[in-house]
């Protein structure tokens, strides 16, 4: 297996019909690779696992004071701050019943206010820097694009207090929480800030939450936090066409859950549409996805020879 991180020169021009090109990264780069002249003209097999505007849905039953409400807040903060939000599975859109929006914003603001940013080696630091200054600037531009349709509730993209680190020289960024009062605006469903940023969007009915989730045009991961098994079963069926993986989280399974952004090895990691249309892991299924299959028709003698005598009559 070969792995390249960086420029590839003219390597793609030398791909043939027998090659497989796999990519993990941004949806924009995946689109560029998929449409490369050699890839399209020679039908080079292509597998992409791309970033996506993943969502987490708070169920109508998960009101403040329930274990599910607390789980929702905990998970959102974790996904915003782990790896400084630089994960393709991180929660970008928090879909919340309209009556619970203020409570969610208040709870998230309280939790994010306790996140210390700085040198990860320093005691008490909970979030480090972004991958580089260029990445930080890209996130700032994305936040600026979102602020036309959202209100900033927590954080400042241009100011952050750091522990044992220089905030000007380092690629540090405050966690940023946005509120989009109009969930039908296009920006929250199209602009992805690849950093510690999430937008809270209201919904009225469960079917509205499903519709808003689909506005992401394909996601790697989605989560639904509810204790209502009947509601979850209905929503999962409607969410499934737009997600590679769906986590249903409640007090019942919280202790065993790996969380929204951490799939188990036997689960498919990929997703439709913007997420790339590919799949990774998934046990044997994930391996077969990278292999070519051919059907063979022959007499029993030939089939026995091909399979080492394992052909059934």
């Amino acid at each position: 297996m070969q792995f390249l991180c960086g420029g590839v020169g003219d390597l793609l021009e030398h791909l043939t019909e027998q090659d497989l090109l796999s990519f993990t990264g941004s949806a924009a780069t995946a689109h560029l690779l998929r449409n490369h002249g050699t890839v399209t003209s020679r039908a080079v097999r292509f597998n992409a696992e791309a970033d996506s505007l993943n969502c987490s849905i708070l169920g109508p039953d998960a009101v403040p004071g329930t274990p599910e409400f607390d789980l929702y807040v905990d998970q959102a903060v974790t996904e915003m701050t782990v790896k400084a939000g630089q994960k393709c599975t991180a929660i970008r859109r928090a879909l919340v019943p309209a009556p619970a929006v203020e409570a969610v914003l208040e709870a998230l603001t309280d939790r994010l206010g306790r996140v210390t940013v700085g040198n990860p080696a320093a005691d008490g630091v909970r979030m480090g820097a972004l991958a580089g200054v260029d990445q930080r600037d890209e996130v700032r531009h994305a936040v600026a694009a979102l602020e036309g349709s959202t209100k900033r509730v927590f954080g400042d993209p241009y100011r952050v207090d750091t522990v044992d680190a220089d905030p000007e020289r380092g690629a540090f960024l405050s966690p940023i929480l946005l509120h989009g009062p109009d969930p039908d605006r296009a920006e929250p469903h199209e602009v992805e800030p690849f950093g510690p940023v999430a937008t809270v969007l209201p919904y009225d009915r469960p079917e509205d939450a499903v519709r808003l989730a689909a506005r992401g045009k394909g996601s790697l991961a989605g989560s639904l936090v509810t204790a209502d098994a009947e509601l979850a079963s209905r929503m999962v069926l409607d969410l499934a066409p737009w997600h590679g993986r769906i986590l249903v989280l409640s007090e019942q399974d919280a202790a065993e859950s790996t969380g929204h952004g951490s799939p188990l090895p036997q689960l498919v990691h990929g997703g439709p549409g913007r997420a790339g249309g590919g799949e990774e892991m998934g046990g044997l299924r994930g391996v077969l996805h990278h292999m070519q299959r051919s059907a063979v028709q022959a007499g029993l003698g030939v089939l026995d020879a091909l399979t080492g005598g394992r052909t059934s009559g």
Side-chain angles (χ1 to χ4, degrees), residues 61-176:
D61 61 299
V63 297
T66 63
E68 284 69 31
F69 182 89
D70 295 336
L71 287 169
Y72 186 84
V73 172
D74 288 345
Q75 176 174 262
V77 172
T78 296
E79 291 299 316
M80 287 180 67
T81 57
V82 168
K83 297 183 180 179
Q86 299 167 113
K87 295 196 306 176
C88 56
T89 53
I91 295 171
R92 309 298 180 194
R93 300 175 295 156
L95 305 181
V96 175
V101 166
E102 290 303 321
V104 169
L105 290 174
E106 181 179 346
L108 287 174
T109 298
D110 177 66
R111 286 289 307 277
L112 292 172
R114 295 182 242 160
V115 175
T116 49
V117 180
N119 181 357
D123 290 341
V125 170
R126 304 303 301 168
M127 191 177 87
L130 274 70
V133 173
D134 289 344
Q135 179 64 32
R136 182 195 63 190
D137 291 343
E138 284 190 19
V139 175
R140 285 174 172 172
H141 292 152
V143 171
L146 286 168
E147 287 190 327
S149 61
T150 65
K151 296 184 292 186
R152 186 156 22 105
V153 178
F154 181 89
D156 184 337
Y158 293 97
R159 184 184 181 280
V160 58
D161 295 324
T162 55
V163 176
D164 191 30
D166 186 338
E168 298 301 322
R169 295 182 61 195
F172 294 98
L173 192 70
S174 166
I176 296 172

Side-chain angles (χ1 to χ4, degrees), residues 34 46-50 220 244 268-273 275-280 289:
R34 191 190 305 275
F46 181 75
N47 183 72
E49 181 264 290
L220 295 170
V268 168
H269 180 54
E279 56 187 45
E280 297 176 356
H289 190 76

Side-chain angles (χ1 to χ4, degrees), residues 33 78 122 129-130 191-192 205-206 208 210 240 256 274 278 291 303:
L33 292 173
T78 296
L130 274 70
V191 178
E192 182 185 19
R205 303 170 299 166
D208 294 323
V210 171
E256 301 174 345
R274 178 179 174 133
M291 300 174 67
L303 295 177

Side-chain angles (χ1 to χ4, degrees), residues 261-276:
S262 302
L264 293 167
Q266 62 267 37
L267 300 179
V268 168
H269 180 54
R274 178 179 174 133

